[in-house]
Amino acid sequence: MTTSNPILRFSAISLFPEMFAAVTESGVVGRAIKKGKVAVDLINPRDFTTDRHRTVDDRPYGGGPGMLMKVEPLEKAIEFAQSSQPDGNRPGKVIYLSPQGEKIDHQMVSQLSQEEHLILLAGRYEGIDERLLNKHVDLELSLGDFVLSGGELAAMAVIDSVTRLVPEVLGHKESAEQDSFADGLLDHQHYTRPEVYDGNRVPQVLLSGNHQVIESWRLQQRLGRTWLRRPDLLARKKLTEQEEKLLSMFQAQFES
Ligand SMILES: NC(=O)c1ccc(NCc2ccccc2N2CCOCC2)nc1
């Protein structure tokens, strides 16, 4: 069923809009767009230039290597994105993807999935004038402590991860709920045919058909793997009595 107005609209402001085909033409986001649940508008600051050479970069005050994104075309692109908002809707939230941003995690992605319009600013060159950021940007976010050549890949990661959490986008909803991190734990191991691969058997419990035992084994593995690999995540999670028991059994086996 295609709804006339999407649940969530992304406006991606980028000098390389063609990069976004990677999310708009395939997978979960591609399907959500086809179903009219999500929309992704591509806005290129170059379309807002007024000079003959369609200049989108400018030299940094204070000198130094590299260029910055030119203020005027970028500001016009942001204002266009904000104006392209159906009346009565909440104004779009302007998000700037940068290594200086707040680290993104599941909580942030989940909050963003409640918005109606997200305007994603993909930086190029060495970045953007601080005064423009102060004027227009609501949220500066980072995927992690590493540098990309542009903000587009980070923006696409936001589009994909947020879209997965938009209600009914994933169809059988529980798979978004069962995404690891959704409940603060890492995912359990996965196995498929053949039953013996490279001399290694699939854990017997998964062949038992006993779904209660299988679910509890999977939960125990999620708890154990989180304890081993991401104790920081475990520290933040309130465990039920059953979870405490499963984890301590895992720890006992691990330390035996
Ligand atoms: N961690 C992240 O989310 C992330 C996001 C973007 C990004 N790059 C685009 C960018 C955006 C803002 C400022 C500088 C830059 N860069 C431009 C190219 O030069 C390096 C600095 N990199 C990593």
Side-chain angles (χ1 to χ4, degrees), residues 5-192:
N5 51 340
I7 303 169
L8 173 52
R9 200 152 59 83
F10 298 94
S11 295
I13 297 179
S14 163
L15 294 170
F16 297 92
E18 67 281 356
M19 286 180 72
F20 287 82
V23 288
T24 59
E25 288 168 25
S26 65
V28 171
V29 178
R31 285 197 300 278
I33 292 172
K34 279 214 178 68
K35 284 192 276 184
K37 297 209 179 316
V38 150
V40 179
D41 310 328
L42 304 173
I43 301 169
N44 189 340
R46 199 177 290 278
D47 296 337
F48 298 88
T49 55
T50 50
D51 65 310
R52 205 153 60 92
H53 299 287
R54 294 163 57 84
T55 310
V56 289
D57 61 345
D58 211 339
R59 295 174 55 224
Y61 283 114
M67 300 289 275
L68 294 177
M69 295 184 81
K70 188 173 174 56
V71 167
E72 189 216 1
L74 192 50
E75 172 147 80
K76 286 191 179 147
I78 295 170
E79 287 165 350
F80 175 81
Q82 284 166 325
S83 66
S84 72
Q85 169 81 291
D87 306 336
N89 282 33
R90 279 176 281 155
K93 207 177 261 307
V94 180
I95 295 172
Y96 180 48
L97 288 310
S98 102
Q100 287 73 40
E102 177 192 341
K103 209 69 75 57
I104 298 184
D105 62 7
H106 175 77
Q107 270 70 31
M108 173 61 74
V109 169
S110 179
Q111 278 168 12
L112 294 176
S113 69
Q114 325 276 330
E115 294 291 332
E116 289 174 325
H117 185 201
L118 294 176
I119 300 170
L120 304 174
L121 209 38
R124 279 276 159 173
Y125 305 111
E126 296 313 303
I128 295 176
D129 185 293
E130 195 65 12
R131 294 163 297 176
L132 188 137
L133 296 179
N134 290 336
K135 180 176 176 184
H136 290 286
V137 169
D138 300 304
L139 208 50
E140 189 163 352
L141 298 179
S142 169
L143 289 193
D145 296 332
F146 53 87
V147 173
L148 297 162
S149 308
E152 284 81 8
L153 286 174
M156 283 187 259
V158 170
I159 292 172
D160 187 285
S161 58
V162 169
T163 297
R164 295 175 61 79
L165 297 186
V166 171
E168 320 105 42
V169 158
L170 271 188
H172 47 97
K173 182 156 182 345
E174 83 282 355
S175 60
E177 277 164 6
Q178 283 187 346
D179 272 0
S180 59
F181 290 106
D183 59 2
L185 294 176
L186 300 183
D187 205 1
H188 53 73
Q189 304 87 318
H190 298 277
Y191 300 88
T192 186

Side-chain angles (χ1 to χ4, degrees), residues 228-243:
L228 289 170
R229 301 180 184 195
R230 291 292 306 277
D232 60 302
L233 282 180
L234 199 59
R236 275 192 266 161
K237 183 171 172 68
K238 180 101 193 59
L239 298 185
T240 65
E241 216 156 283
Q242 190 223 3
E243 289 167 342

